[in-house]
Amino acid sequence: MKTNITLLVTRVVFSLSMITHGYPKLIKLISENPSFGNPIGIGEIPTLILAVISEFIAPLFIIIGYKTRIFSFFPIATMFVAAFIVHYDDPFKNKELALLYLAGYLVTFIIGPGKYSLDKK
């Protein structure tokens, strides 16, 4: 029981926190002149779309526990890029948040959503 509550709290806290980073990107995406970084060379708009999926859409599904492992992959990939590509040469404090999100979503990916999820219904 404690493990399932812990998994639920982990999913919800990390995902609600991530949504606060994804929402401004969603607004930027639907603005008239979206611009964004291009750290992996696929273009600004495709990178922004992936960031919105990873930081806004996927966390919504992770909160309810639907296809949790699949949707966890998106923020894991994004936070890996943020920590090890975008902030590669930066001091630890600049990559710390990305590493924390990466760790939280890795836990969710590896252990799963727990019984308090749509995946377990």
Side-chain angles (χ1 to χ4, degrees):
M1 171 108 163
K2 290 179 190 177
T3 301
N4 289 304
I5 291 172
T6 302
L7 292 171
L8 172 65
V9 169
T10 301
R11 282 192 350 253
V12 171
V13 168
F14 274 92
S15 294
L16 286 175
S17 298
M18 180 66 83
I19 287 171
T20 67
H21 298 280
Y23 182 72
K25 291 175 179 80
L26 175 64
I27 298 304
K28 182 181 277 203
L29 180 64
I30 60 177
S31 72
E32 289 189 27
N33 190 18
S35 63
F36 199 67
N38 185 21
I40 58 173
I42 62 171
E44 290 183 21
I45 300 303
T47 302
L48 181 56
I49 290 169
L50 287 175
V52 169
I53 291 169
S54 298
E55 297 180 21
F56 188 80
I57 296 170
L60 294 173
F61 286 103
I62 294 167
I63 287 169
I64 63 172
Y66 180 72
K67 303 291 184 189
T68 307
R69 285 193 166 113
I70 293 169
F71 283 108
S72 292
F73 172 79
F74 292 97
I76 287 169
T78 299
M79 293 302 104
F80 184 88
V81 169
F84 298 109
I85 296 175
V86 175
H87 296 292
Y88 177 75
D89 288 328
D90 293 349
F92 178 76
K93 69 178 186 172
N94 291 12
K95 58 181 96 177
E96 181 177 10
L97 187 59
L99 291 170
L100 289 171
Y101 280 120
L102 177 61
Y105 282 109
L106 274 172
V107 167
T108 300
F109 181 81
I110 292 167
I111 298 175
K115 78 176 187 177
Y116 302 117
S117 66
L118 289 180
D119 288 346
K120 298 298 179 186
K121 297 282 178 201

